[in-house]
PDB file of all heavy atoms in Angstrom:
ATOM      1  N   ALA A   1     -37.576  20.381  47.255  1.00 38.00           N
ATOM      2  CA  ALA A   1     -36.934  19.100  47.469  1.00 38.00           C
ATOM      3  C   ALA A   1     -37.947  18.043  47.848  1.00 38.00           C
ATOM      4  O   ALA A   1     -37.797  16.873  47.517  1.00 38.00           O
ATOM      5  CB  ALA A   1     -35.885  19.217  48.580  1.00 38.00           C
ATOM      6  N   ASP A   2     -39.017  18.438  48.563  1.00 43.00           N
ATOM      7  CA  ASP A   2     -40.049  17.490  48.945  1.00 43.00           C
ATOM      8  C   ASP A   2     -40.994  17.217  47.805  1.00 43.00           C
ATOM      9  O   ASP A   2     -41.509  16.121  47.658  1.00 43.00           O
ATOM     10  CB  ASP A   2     -40.851  18.013  50.142  1.00 43.00           C
ATOM     11  CG  ASP A   2     -39.982  18.086  51.388  1.00 43.00           C
ATOM     12  OD1 ASP A   2     -38.997  17.327  51.438  1.00 43.00           O
ATOM     13  OD2 ASP A   2     -40.298  18.901  52.278  1.00 43.00           O
ATOM     14  N   SER A   3     -41.290  18.243  46.966  1.00 42.00           N
ATOM     15  CA  SER A   3     -42.303  18.110  45.921  1.00 42.00           C
ATOM     16  C   SER A   3     -41.748  17.583  44.624  1.00 42.00           C
ATOM     17  O   SER A   3     -42.469  17.162  43.750  1.00 42.00           O
ATOM     18  CB  SER A   3     -42.954  19.469  45.664  1.00 42.00           C
ATOM     19  OG  SER A   3     -42.000  20.331  45.102  1.00 42.00           O
ATOM     20  N   GLY A   4     -40.434  17.666  44.443  1.00 42.00           N
ATOM     21  CA  GLY A   4     -39.850  17.245  43.174  1.00 42.00           C
ATOM     22  C   GLY A   4     -40.111  18.232  42.090  1.00 42.00           C
ATOM     23  O   GLY A   4     -40.005  17.929  40.917  1.00 42.00           O
ATOM     24  N   ASP A   5     -40.484  19.504  42.416  1.00 44.00           N
ATOM     25  CA  ASP A   5     -40.790  20.516  41.417  1.00 44.00           C
ATOM     26  C   ASP A   5     -39.536  21.267  41.044  1.00 44.00           C
ATOM     27  O   ASP A   5     -38.448  20.723  41.093  1.00 44.00           O
ATOM     28  CB  ASP A   5     -41.870  21.453  41.949  1.00 44.00           C
ATOM     29  CG  ASP A   5     -42.816  21.892  40.850  1.00 44.00           C
ATOM     30  OD1 ASP A   5     -42.317  22.340  39.814  1.00 44.00           O
ATOM     31  OD2 ASP A   5     -44.027  21.777  41.048  1.00 44.00           O
ATOM     32  N   ALA A   6     -39.675  22.571  40.738  1.00 41.00           N
ATOM     33  CA  ALA A   6     -38.596  23.339  40.129  1.00 41.00           C
ATOM     34  C   ALA A   6     -37.308  23.238  40.902  1.00 41.00           C
ATOM     35  O   ALA A   6     -36.256  22.937  40.357  1.00 41.00           O
ATOM     36  CB  ALA A   6     -39.024  24.799  39.997  1.00 41.00           C
ATOM     37  N   GLY A   7     -37.356  23.545  42.234  1.00 43.00           N
ATOM     38  CA  GLY A   7     -36.123  23.537  42.999  1.00 43.00           C
ATOM     39  C   GLY A   7     -35.517  22.164  43.053  1.00 43.00           C
ATOM     40  O   GLY A   7     -34.309  21.988  42.946  1.00 43.00           O
ATOM     41  N   GLY A   8     -36.381  21.115  43.265  1.00 43.00           N
ATOM     42  CA  GLY A   8     -35.881  19.760  43.332  1.00 43.00           C
ATOM     43  C   GLY A   8     -35.268  19.326  42.025  1.00 43.00           C
ATOM     44  O   GLY A   8     -34.269  18.615  41.994  1.00 43.00           O
ATOM     45  N   THR A   9     -35.875  19.722  40.912  1.00 43.00           N
ATOM     46  CA  THR A   9     -35.335  19.367  39.598  1.00 43.00           C
ATOM     47  C   THR A   9     -33.954  19.948  39.409  1.00 43.00           C
ATOM     48  O   THR A   9     -33.040  19.283  38.915  1.00 43.00           O
ATOM     49  CB  THR A   9     -36.275  19.880  38.493  1.00 43.00           C
ATOM     50  OG1 THR A   9     -37.552  19.298  38.664  1.00 43.00           O
ATOM     51  CG2 THR A   9     -35.727  19.513  37.119  1.00 43.00           C
ATOM     52  N   ASP A  10     -33.768  21.203  39.821  1.00 48.00           N
ATOM     53  CA  ASP A  10     -32.482  21.851  39.654  1.00 48.00           C
ATOM     54  C   ASP A  10     -31.432  21.162  40.506  1.00 48.00           C
ATOM     55  O   ASP A  10     -30.314  20.926  40.079  1.00 48.00           O
ATOM     56  CB  ASP A  10     -32.585  23.327  40.035  1.00 48.00           C
ATOM     57  CG  ASP A  10     -31.290  24.076  39.769  1.00 48.00           C
ATOM     58  OD1 ASP A  10     -30.824  24.014  38.632  1.00 48.00           O
ATOM     59  OD2 ASP A  10     -30.756  24.691  40.704  1.00 48.00           O
ATOM     60  N   THR A  11     -31.802  20.809  41.765  1.00 46.00           N
ATOM     61  CA  THR A  11     -30.854  20.136  42.646  1.00 46.00           C
ATOM     62  C   THR A  11     -30.475  18.780  42.094  1.00 46.00           C
ATOM     63  O   THR A  11     -29.304  18.389  42.087  1.00 46.00           O
ATOM     64  CB  THR A  11     -31.488  19.968  44.049  1.00 46.00           C
ATOM     65  OG1 THR A  11     -31.817  21.258  44.554  1.00 46.00           O
ATOM     66  CG2 THR A  11     -30.509  19.282  44.989  1.00 46.00           C
ATOM     67  N   THR A  12     -31.472  18.022  41.602  1.00 47.00           N
ATOM     68  CA  THR A  12     -31.198  16.715  41.008  1.00 47.00           C
ATOM     69  C   THR A  12     -30.276  16.843  39.817  1.00 47.00           C
ATOM     70  O   THR A  12     -29.359  16.035  39.614  1.00 47.00           O
ATOM     71  CB  THR A  12     -32.519  16.049  40.565  1.00 47.00           C
ATOM     72  OG1 THR A  12     -33.375  15.943  41.692  1.00 47.00           O
ATOM     73  CG2 THR A  12     -32.250  14.662  39.993  1.00 47.00           C
ATOM     74  N   ALA A  13     -30.509  17.872  38.997  1.00 49.00           N
ATOM     75  CA  ALA A  13     -29.671  18.082  37.817  1.00 49.00           C
ATOM     76  C   ALA A  13     -28.220  18.295  38.213  1.00 49.00           C
ATOM     77  O   ALA A  13     -27.291  17.767  37.600  1.00 49.00           O
ATOM     78  CB  ALA A  13     -30.191  19.278  37.021  1.00 49.00           C
ATOM     79  N   ARG A  14     -28.002  19.070  39.258  1.00 53.00           N
ATOM     80  CA  ARG A  14     -26.632  19.340  39.694  1.00 53.00           C
ATOM     81  C   ARG A  14     -25.957  18.069  40.178  1.00 53.00           C
ATOM     82  O   ARG A  14     -24.786  17.810  39.887  1.00 53.00           O
ATOM     83  CB  ARG A  14     -26.655  20.398  40.804  1.00 53.00           C
ATOM     84  CG  ARG A  14     -27.100  21.772  40.325  1.00 53.00           C
ATOM     85  CD  ARG A  14     -27.093  22.768  41.469  1.00 53.00           C
ATOM     86  NE  ARG A  14     -27.573  24.073  41.032  1.00 53.00           N
ATOM     87  CZ  ARG A  14     -27.682  25.116  41.815  1.00 53.00           C
ATOM     88  NH1 ARG A  14     -27.317  25.028  43.097  1.00 53.00           N
ATOM     89  NH2 ARG A  14     -28.147  26.265  41.358  1.00 53.00           N
ATOM     90  N   VAL A  15     -26.721  17.268  40.964  1.00 47.00           N
ATOM     91  CA  VAL A  15     -26.147  16.030  41.475  1.00 47.00           C
ATOM     92  C   VAL A  15     -25.784  15.095  40.332  1.00 47.00           C
ATOM     93  O   VAL A  15     -24.698  14.508  40.293  1.00 47.00           O
ATOM     94  CB  VAL A  15     -27.144  15.344  42.433  1.00 47.00           C
ATOM     95  CG1 VAL A  15     -26.641  13.960  42.826  1.00 47.00           C
ATOM     96  CG2 VAL A  15     -27.342  16.199  43.676  1.00 47.00           C
ATOM     97  N   LEU A  16     -26.701  14.928  39.369  1.00 51.00           N
ATOM     98  CA  LEU A  16     -26.424  14.065  38.222  1.00 51.00           C
ATOM     99  C   LEU A  16     -25.236  14.584  37.417  1.00 51.00           C
ATOM    100  O   LEU A  16     -24.432  13.816  36.895  1.00 51.00           O
ATOM    101  CB  LEU A  16     -27.668  13.974  37.325  1.00 51.00           C
ATOM    102  CG  LEU A  16     -28.850  13.193  37.907  1.00 51.00           C
ATOM    103  CD1 LEU A  16     -30.044  13.278  36.962  1.00 51.00           C
ATOM    104  CD2 LEU A  16     -28.459  11.748  38.145  1.00 51.00           C
ATOM    105  N   GLY A  17     -25.129  15.894  37.302  1.00 54.00           N
ATOM    106  CA  GLY A  17     -24.008  16.476  36.575  1.00 54.00           C
ATOM    107  C   GLY A  17     -22.690  16.126  37.226  1.00 54.00           C
ATOM    108  O   GLY A  17     -21.705  15.766  36.565  1.00 54.00           O
ATOM    109  N   ILE A  18     -22.638  16.237  38.555  1.00 55.00           N
ATOM    110  CA  ILE A  18     -21.412  15.910  39.284  1.00 55.00           C
ATOM    111  C   ILE A  18     -21.075  14.439  39.127  1.00 55.00           C
ATOM    112  O   ILE A  18     -19.927  14.054  38.908  1.00 55.00           O
ATOM    113  CB  ILE A  18     -21.565  16.281  40.769  1.00 55.00           C
ATOM    114  CG1 ILE A  18     -21.695  17.807  40.913  1.00 55.00           C
ATOM    115  CG2 ILE A  18     -20.383  15.772  41.577  1.00 55.00           C
ATOM    116  CD1 ILE A  18     -22.015  18.258  42.312  1.00 55.00           C
ATOM    117  N   VAL A  19     -22.107  13.582  39.221  1.00 49.00           N
ATOM    118  CA  VAL A  19     -21.883  12.144  39.035  1.00 49.00           C
ATOM    119  C   VAL A  19     -21.323  11.865  37.649  1.00 49.00           C
ATOM    120  O   VAL A  19     -20.400  11.064  37.475  1.00 49.00           O
ATOM    121  CB  VAL A  19     -23.199  11.369  39.236  1.00 49.00           C
ATOM    122  CG1 VAL A  19     -23.020   9.905  38.849  1.00 49.00           C
ATOM    123  CG2 VAL A  19     -23.645  11.477  40.691  1.00 49.00           C
ATOM    124  N   GLY A  20     -21.862  12.552  36.640  1.00 55.00           N
ATOM    125  CA  GLY A  20     -21.376  12.352  35.276  1.00 55.00           C
ATOM    126  C   GLY A  20     -19.919  12.725  35.137  1.00 55.00           C
ATOM    127  O   GLY A  20     -19.124  12.048  34.477  1.00 55.00           O
ATOM    128  N   ILE A  21     -19.532  13.850  35.749  1.00 54.00           N
ATOM    129  CA  ILE A  21     -18.134  14.280  35.673  1.00 54.00           C
ATOM    130  C   ILE A  21     -17.223  13.250  36.333  1.00 54.00           C
ATOM    131  O   ILE A  21     -16.158  12.898  35.814  1.00 54.00           O
ATOM    132  CB  ILE A  21     -17.973  15.652  36.353  1.00 54.00           C
ATOM    133  CG1 ILE A  21     -18.715  16.716  35.533  1.00 54.00           C
ATOM    134  CG2 ILE A  21     -16.505  16.024  36.480  1.00 54.00           C
ATOM    135  CD1 ILE A  21     -18.727  18.076  36.190  1.00 54.00           C
ATOM    136  N   VAL A  22     -17.645  12.746  37.515  1.00 49.00           N
ATOM    137  CA  VAL A  22     -16.832  11.759  38.224  1.00 49.00           C
ATOM    138  C   VAL A  22     -16.666  10.497  37.391  1.00 49.00           C
ATOM    139  O   VAL A  22     -15.576   9.937  37.279  1.00 49.00           O
ATOM    140  CB  VAL A  22     -17.479  11.431  39.587  1.00 49.00           C
ATOM    141  CG1 VAL A  22     -16.754  10.266  40.248  1.00 49.00           C
ATOM    142  CG2 VAL A  22     -17.441  12.647  40.495  1.00 49.00           C
ATOM    143  N   VAL A  23     -17.770  10.027  36.775  1.00 49.00           N
ATOM    144  CA  VAL A  23     -17.709   8.824  35.938  1.00 49.00           C
ATOM    145  C   VAL A  23     -16.760   9.023  34.765  1.00 49.00           C
ATOM    146  O   VAL A  23     -15.933   8.172  34.443  1.00 49.00           O
ATOM    147  CB  VAL A  23     -19.116   8.447  35.424  1.00 49.00           C
ATOM    148  CG1 VAL A  23     -19.033   7.323  34.396  1.00 49.00           C
ATOM    149  CG2 VAL A  23     -19.991   8.022  36.589  1.00 49.00           C
ATOM    150  N   GLY A  24     -16.876  10.183  34.119  1.00 57.00           N
ATOM    151  CA  GLY A  24     -16.002  10.461  32.982  1.00 57.00           C
ATOM    152  C   GLY A  24     -14.548  10.516  33.388  1.00 57.00           C
ATOM    153  O   GLY A  24     -13.661   9.982  32.713  1.00 57.00           O
ATOM    154  N   ALA A  25     -14.279  11.195  34.487  1.00 53.00           N
ATOM    155  CA  ALA A  25     -12.896  11.315  34.953  1.00 53.00           C
ATOM    156  C   ALA A  25     -12.325   9.954  35.306  1.00 53.00           C
ATOM    157  O   ALA A  25     -11.157   9.650  35.038  1.00 53.00           O
ATOM    158  CB  ALA A  25     -12.844  12.247  36.156  1.00 53.00           C
ATOM    159  N   ALA A  26     -13.139   9.101  35.937  1.00 54.00           N
ATOM    160  CA  ALA A  26     -12.674   7.764  36.297  1.00 54.00           C
ATOM    161  C   ALA A  26     -12.324   6.962  35.049  1.00 54.00           C
ATOM    162  O   ALA A  26     -11.322   6.236  35.009  1.00 54.00           O
ATOM    163  CB  ALA A  26     -13.749   7.051  37.114  1.00 54.00           C
ATOM    164  N   GLY A  27     -13.127   7.092  34.010  1.00 55.00           N
ATOM    165  CA  GLY A  27     -12.853   6.364  32.774  1.00 55.00           C
ATOM    166  C   GLY A  27     -11.555   6.812  32.136  1.00 55.00           C
ATOM    167  O   GLY A  27     -10.754   6.007  31.667  1.00 55.00           O
ATOM    168  N   VAL A  28     -11.314   8.125  32.115  1.00 46.00           N
ATOM    169  CA  VAL A  28     -10.073   8.632  31.537  1.00 46.00           C
ATOM    170  C   VAL A  28      -8.872   8.150  32.321  1.00 46.00           C
ATOM    171  O   VAL A  28      -7.862   7.715  31.784  1.00 46.00           O
ATOM    172  CB  VAL A  28     -10.111  10.183  31.498  1.00 46.00           C
ATOM    173  CG1 VAL A  28      -8.772  10.731  31.074  1.00 46.00           C
ATOM    174  CG2 VAL A  28     -11.191  10.654  30.541  1.00 46.00           C
ATOM    175  N   ALA A  29      -8.985   8.217  33.650  1.00 51.00           N
ATOM    176  CA  ALA A  29      -7.862   7.795  34.503  1.00 51.00           C
ATOM    177  C   ALA A  29      -7.548   6.323  34.297  1.00 51.00           C
ATOM    178  O   ALA A  29      -6.386   5.913  34.237  1.00 51.00           O
ATOM    179  CB  ALA A  29      -8.205   8.068  35.969  1.00 51.00           C
ATOM    180  N   TYR A  30      -8.593   5.516  34.172  1.00 51.00           N
ATOM    181  CA  TYR A  30      -8.384   4.088  33.965  1.00 51.00           C
ATOM    182  C   TYR A  30      -7.655   3.823  32.649  1.00 51.00           C
ATOM    183  O   TYR A  30      -6.744   3.007  32.566  1.00 51.00           O
ATOM    184  CB  TYR A  30      -9.733   3.363  33.966  1.00 51.00           C
ATOM    185  CG  TYR A  30      -9.618   1.853  33.749  1.00 51.00           C
ATOM    186  CD1 TYR A  30      -9.313   1.002  34.808  1.00 51.00           C
ATOM    187  CD2 TYR A  30      -9.787   1.311  32.475  1.00 51.00           C
ATOM    188  CE1 TYR A  30      -9.194  -0.365  34.600  1.00 51.00           C
ATOM    189  CE2 TYR A  30      -9.664  -0.044  32.260  1.00 51.00           C
ATOM    190  CZ  TYR A  30      -9.365  -0.882  33.331  1.00 51.00           C
ATOM    191  OH  TYR A  30      -9.246  -2.219  33.122  1.00 51.00           O
ATOM    192  N   GLY A  31      -8.064   4.563  31.614  1.00 53.00           N
ATOM    193  CA  GLY A  31      -7.422   4.384  30.314  1.00 53.00           C
ATOM    194  C   GLY A  31      -5.960   4.761  30.346  1.00 53.00           C
ATOM    195  O   GLY A  31      -5.089   4.076  29.790  1.00 53.00           O
ATOM    196  N   VAL A  32      -5.636   5.872  30.977  1.00 47.00           N
ATOM    197  CA  VAL A  32      -4.238   6.315  31.068  1.00 47.00           C
ATOM    198  C   VAL A  32      -3.408   5.299  31.827  1.00 47.00           C
ATOM    199  O   VAL A  32      -2.297   4.941  31.444  1.00 47.00           O
ATOM    200  CB  VAL A  32      -4.162   7.688  31.748  1.00 47.00           C
ATOM    201  CG1 VAL A  32      -2.724   8.059  32.018  1.00 47.00           C
ATOM    202  CG2 VAL A  32      -4.830   8.742  30.869  1.00 47.00           C
ATOM    203  N   LEU A  33      -3.940   4.804  32.978  1.00 50.00           N
ATOM    204  CA  LEU A  33      -3.222   3.843  33.791  1.00 50.00           C
ATOM    205  C   LEU A  33      -2.983   2.561  33.011  1.00 50.00           C
ATOM    206  O   LEU A  33      -1.897   1.994  33.045  1.00 50.00           O
ATOM    207  CB  LEU A  33      -4.015   3.557  35.069  1.00 50.00           C
ATOM    208  CG  LEU A  33      -3.362   2.570  36.047  1.00 50.00           C
ATOM    209  CD1 LEU A  33      -2.002   3.081  36.503  1.00 50.00           C
ATOM    210  CD2 LEU A  33      -4.267   2.338  37.256  1.00 50.00           C
ATOM    211  N   ALA A  34      -4.000   2.085  32.307  1.00 52.00           N
ATOM    212  CA  ALA A  34      -3.845   0.839  31.538  1.00 52.00           C
ATOM    213  C   ALA A  34      -2.812   1.010  30.445  1.00 52.00           C
ATOM    214  O   ALA A  34      -2.016   0.106  30.155  1.00 52.00           O
ATOM    215  CB  ALA A  34      -5.195   0.442  30.927  1.00 52.00           C
ATOM    216  N   GLY A  35      -2.794   2.177  29.823  1.00 54.00           N
ATOM    217  CA  GLY A  35      -1.815   2.430  28.769  1.00 54.00           C
ATOM    218  C   GLY A  35      -0.403   2.389  29.322  1.00 54.00           C
ATOM    219  O   GLY A  35       0.532   1.874  28.691  1.00 54.00           O
ATOM    220  N   ARG A  36      -0.185   2.946  30.464  1.00 54.00           N
ATOM    221  CA  ARG A  36       1.148   2.950  31.066  1.00 54.00           C
ATOM    222  C   ARG A  36       1.610   1.540  31.419  1.00 54.00           C
ATOM    223  O   ARG A  36       2.783   1.184  31.241  1.00 54.00           O
ATOM    224  CB  ARG A  36       1.133   3.822  32.328  1.00 54.00           C
ATOM    225  CG  ARG A  36       1.042   5.312  32.028  1.00 54.00           C
ATOM    226  CD  ARG A  36       1.041   6.111  33.303  1.00 54.00           C
ATOM    227  NE  ARG A  36       1.013   7.538  33.024  1.00 54.00           N
ATOM    228  CZ  ARG A  36       0.970   8.486  33.979  1.00 54.00           C
ATOM    229  NH1 ARG A  36       0.958   8.127  35.267  1.00 54.00           N
ATOM    230  NH2 ARG A  36       0.925   9.772  33.641  1.00 54.00           N
ATOM    231  N   ARG A  37       0.660   0.720  31.912  1.00 53.00           N
ATOM    232  CA  ARG A  37       1.028  -0.652  32.253  1.00 53.00           C
ATOM    233  C   ARG A  37       1.477  -1.426  31.032  1.00 53.00           C
ATOM    234  O   ARG A  37       2.436  -2.180  31.079  1.00 53.00           O
ATOM    235  CB  ARG A  37      -0.175  -1.353  32.905  1.00 53.00           C
ATOM    236  CG  ARG A  37      -0.467  -0.844  34.334  1.00 53.00           C
ATOM    237  CD  ARG A  37      -1.677  -1.541  34.899  1.00 53.00           C
ATOM    238  NE  ARG A  37      -1.910  -1.109  36.284  1.00 53.00           N
ATOM    239  CZ  ARG A  37      -2.965  -1.487  36.990  1.00 53.00           C
ATOM    240  NH1 ARG A  37      -3.891  -2.297  36.429  1.00 53.00           N
ATOM    241  NH2 ARG A  37      -3.128  -1.050  38.238  1.00 53.00           N
ATOM    242  N   ARG A  38       0.787  -1.239  29.894  1.00 53.00           N
ATOM    243  CA  ARG A  38       1.196  -1.925  28.668  1.00 53.00           C
ATOM    244  C   ARG A  38       2.553  -1.449  28.216  1.00 53.00           C
ATOM    245  O   ARG A  38       3.392  -2.227  27.744  1.00 53.00           O
ATOM    246  CB  ARG A  38       0.156  -1.686  27.574  1.00 53.00           C
ATOM    247  CG  ARG A  38      -1.194  -2.396  27.798  1.00 53.00           C
ATOM    248  CD  ARG A  38      -1.958  -2.544  26.489  1.00 53.00           C
ATOM    249  NE  ARG A  38      -2.078  -1.266  25.839  1.00 53.00           N
ATOM    250  CZ  ARG A  38      -3.060  -0.392  26.101  1.00 53.00           C
ATOM    251  NH1 ARG A  38      -3.963  -0.696  27.007  1.00 53.00           N
ATOM    252  NH2 ARG A  38      -3.128   0.753  25.470  1.00 53.00           N
ATOM    253  N   ALA A  39       2.808  -0.145  28.382  1.00 51.00           N
ATOM    254  CA  ALA A  39       4.103   0.384  27.949  1.00 51.00           C
ATOM    255  C   ALA A  39       5.226  -0.189  28.800  1.00 51.00           C
ATOM    256  O   ALA A  39       6.309  -0.532  28.323  1.00 51.00           O
ATOM    257  CB  ALA A  39       4.088   1.907  28.046  1.00 51.00           C
ATOM    258  N   ASP A  40       5.002  -0.313  30.116  1.00 53.00           N
ATOM    259  CA  ASP A  40       6.010  -0.868  31.017  1.00 53.00           C
ATOM    260  C   ASP A  40       6.269  -2.316  30.716  1.00 53.00           C
ATOM    261  O   ASP A  40       7.388  -2.829  30.840  1.00 53.00           O
ATOM    262  CB  ASP A  40       5.565  -0.711  32.478  1.00 53.00           C
ATOM    263  CG  ASP A  40       5.530   0.752  32.871  1.00 53.00           C
ATOM    264  OD1 ASP A  40       6.181   1.568  32.177  1.00 53.00           O
ATOM    265  OD2 ASP A  40       4.840   1.101  33.872  1.00 53.00           O
ATOM    266  N   ALA A  41       5.182  -3.047  30.305  1.00 51.00           N
ATOM    267  CA  ALA A  41       5.339  -4.470  30.008  1.00 51.00           C
ATOM    268  C   ALA A  41       6.159  -4.649  28.749  1.00 51.00           C
ATOM    269  O   ALA A  41       6.819  -5.636  28.561  1.00 51.00           O
ATOM    270  CB  ALA A  41       3.975  -5.108  29.857  1.00 51.00           C
TER     271      ALA A  41
END
């Protein structure tokens, strides 16, 4: 974690992976919500 070598790279990869999943999920949720609002209108 201090050197940014093998272990740090793996940890960074996991963090970025989680961030990617959260971003993707947020985008899907936003799309579904917007679709429902148009349908209600």
Side-chain angles (χ1 to χ4, degrees):
D2 293 335
S3 67
D5 216 310
T9 301
D10 185 55
T11 301
T12 303
R14 293 180 182 179
V15 172
L16 290 176
I18 294 173
V19 172
I21 293 175
V22 172
V23 172
V28 173
Y30 180 82
V32 172
L33 181 59
R36 288 180 178 178
R37 288 178 177 175
R38 290 201 307 274
D40 293 341

